[in-house]
Tab-separated table of all heavy atoms in Angstrom:
chain	number	residue	atom	x	y	z
I	42	LEU	N	-17.116	23.500	12.828
I	42	LEU	CA	-17.029	23.266	14.267
I	42	LEU	C	-18.412	23.309	14.907
I	42	LEU	O	-18.713	22.534	15.828
I	42	LEU	CB	-16.116	24.306	14.919
I	42	LEU	CG	-14.634	24.267	14.526
I	42	LEU	CD1	-13.885	25.407	15.198
I	42	LEU	CD2	-14.010	22.931	14.898
I	43	TYR	N	-19.269	24.200	14.417
I	43	TYR	CA	-20.633	24.294	14.940
I	43	TYR	C	-21.418	23.016	14.649
I	43	TYR	O	-22.137	22.508	15.527
I	43	TYR	CB	-21.342	25.500	14.324
I	43	TYR	CG	-22.809	25.601	14.687
I	43	TYR	CD1	-23.205	25.861	16.000
I	43	TYR	CD2	-23.794	25.436	13.720
I	43	TYR	CE1	-24.547	25.953	16.341
I	43	TYR	CE2	-25.139	25.531	14.047
I	43	TYR	CZ	-25.511	25.787	15.358
I	43	TYR	OH	-26.840	25.869	15.687
I	44	CYS	N	-21.250	22.488	13.451
I	44	CYS	CA	-21.940	21.236	13.088
I	44	CYS	C	-21.455	20.079	13.965
I	44	CYS	O	-22.255	19.230	14.392
I	44	CYS	CB	-21.716	20.914	11.618
I	44	CYS	SG	-22.589	22.036	10.487
I	45	ARG	N	-20.167	20.043	14.227
I	45	ARG	CA	-19.636	19.004	15.115
I	45	ARG	C	-20.170	19.203	16.542
I	45	ARG	O	-20.460	18.238	17.243
I	45	ARG	CB	-18.102	19.058	15.122
I	45	ARG	CG	-17.450	18.742	13.791
I	45	ARG	CD	-17.601	17.283	13.391
I	45	ARG	NE	-16.812	16.407	14.256
I	45	ARG	CZ	-17.269	15.301	14.816
I	45	ARG	NH1	-18.525	14.943	14.641
I	45	ARG	NH2	-16.486	14.547	15.566
I	46	HIS	N	-20.329	20.464	16.943
I	46	HIS	CA	-20.884	20.784	18.264
I	46	HIS	C	-22.313	20.252	18.401
I	46	HIS	O	-22.724	19.816	19.490
I	46	HIS	CB	-20.854	22.297	18.470
I	46	HIS	CG	-21.608	22.783	19.669
I	46	HIS	ND1	-21.140	22.628	20.954
I	46	HIS	CD2	-22.815	23.413	19.775
I	46	HIS	CE1	-22.012	23.148	21.802
I	46	HIS	NE2	-23.035	23.626	21.117
I	47	LEU	N	-23.060	20.270	17.292
I	47	LEU	CA	-24.433	19.767	17.309
I	47	LEU	C	-24.503	18.248	17.242
I	47	LEU	O	-25.585	17.671	17.356
I	47	LEU	CB	-25.228	20.368	16.141
I	47	LEU	CG	-25.499	21.877	16.201
I	47	LEU	CD1	-26.252	22.323	14.951
I	47	LEU	CD2	-26.287	22.249	17.458
I	48	GLY	N	-23.351	17.608	17.036
I	48	GLY	CA	-23.326	16.151	17.027
I	48	GLY	C	-23.277	15.524	15.652
I	48	GLY	O	-23.353	14.293	15.521
I	49	PHE	N	-23.145	16.344	14.598
I	49	PHE	CA	-23.067	15.808	13.246
I	49	PHE	C	-21.646	15.317	12.961
I	49	PHE	O	-20.676	15.781	13.557
I	49	PHE	CB	-23.477	16.863	12.210
I	49	PHE	CG	-24.879	17.381	12.405
I	49	PHE	CD1	-25.123	18.735	12.575
I	49	PHE	CD2	-25.954	16.511	12.444
I	49	PHE	CE1	-26.395	19.221	12.769
I	49	PHE	CE2	-27.255	16.977	12.636
I	49	PHE	CZ	-27.470	18.341	12.799
I	50	SER	N	-21.527	14.393	12.020
I	50	SER	CA	-20.227	13.833	11.673
I	50	SER	C	-19.397	14.837	10.870
I	50	SER	O	-19.929	15.845	10.374
I	50	SER	CB	-20.404	12.549	10.860
I	50	SER	OG	-20.961	12.849	9.584
I	51	THR	N	-18.112	14.535	10.722
I	51	THR	CA	-17.230	15.394	9.920
I	51	THR	C	-17.704	15.447	8.471
I	51	THR	O	-17.677	16.510	7.832
I	51	THR	CB	-15.777	14.865	9.979
I	51	THR	OG1	-15.356	14.821	11.341
I	51	THR	CG2	-14.842	15.760	9.187
I	52	ALA	N	-18.157	14.301	7.947
I	52	ALA	CA	-18.653	14.254	6.569
I	52	ALA	C	-19.899	15.118	6.418
I	52	ALA	O	-20.051	15.847	5.424
I	52	ALA	CB	-18.964	12.810	6.170
I	53	GLU	N	-20.799	15.048	7.391
I	53	GLU	CA	-22.019	15.863	7.337
I	53	GLU	C	-21.675	17.350	7.418
I	53	GLU	O	-22.281	18.179	6.733
I	53	GLU	CB	-22.959	15.457	8.470
I	53	GLU	CG	-23.641	14.116	8.249
I	53	GLU	CD	-24.429	13.663	9.470
I	53	GLU	OE1	-23.959	13.919	10.600
I	53	GLU	OE2	-25.497	13.042	9.286
I	54	ALA	N	-20.705	17.692	8.264
I	54	ALA	CA	-20.259	19.084	8.358
I	54	ALA	C	-19.673	19.554	7.028
I	54	ALA	O	-19.895	20.694	6.605
I	54	ALA	CB	-19.231	19.225	9.470
I	55	GLY	N	-18.950	18.667	6.365
I	55	GLY	CA	-18.378	18.998	5.060
I	55	GLY	C	-19.448	19.275	4.021
I	55	GLY	O	-19.302	20.171	3.178
I	56	TRP	N	-20.543	18.517	4.078
I	56	TRP	CA	-21.643	18.734	3.139
I	56	TRP	C	-22.303	20.094	3.357
I	56	TRP	O	-22.755	20.735	2.396
I	56	TRP	CB	-22.681	17.621	3.273
I	56	TRP	CG	-22.346	16.399	2.477
I	56	TRP	CD1	-21.974	15.167	2.939
I	56	TRP	CD2	-22.331	16.294	1.043
I	56	TRP	NE1	-21.727	14.308	1.900
I	56	TRP	CE2	-21.947	14.970	0.721
I	56	TRP	CE3	-22.608	17.184	0.008
I	56	TRP	CZ2	-21.827	14.523	-0.591
I	56	TRP	CZ3	-22.490	16.735	-1.301
I	56	TRP	CH2	-22.098	15.431	-1.594
Side-chain angles (χ1 to χ4, degrees):
L42 294 177
Y43 174 67
C44 289
R45 296 291 291 133
H46 170 74
L47 293 178
F49 301 123
S50 68
T51 302
E53 287 173 324
W56 276 111

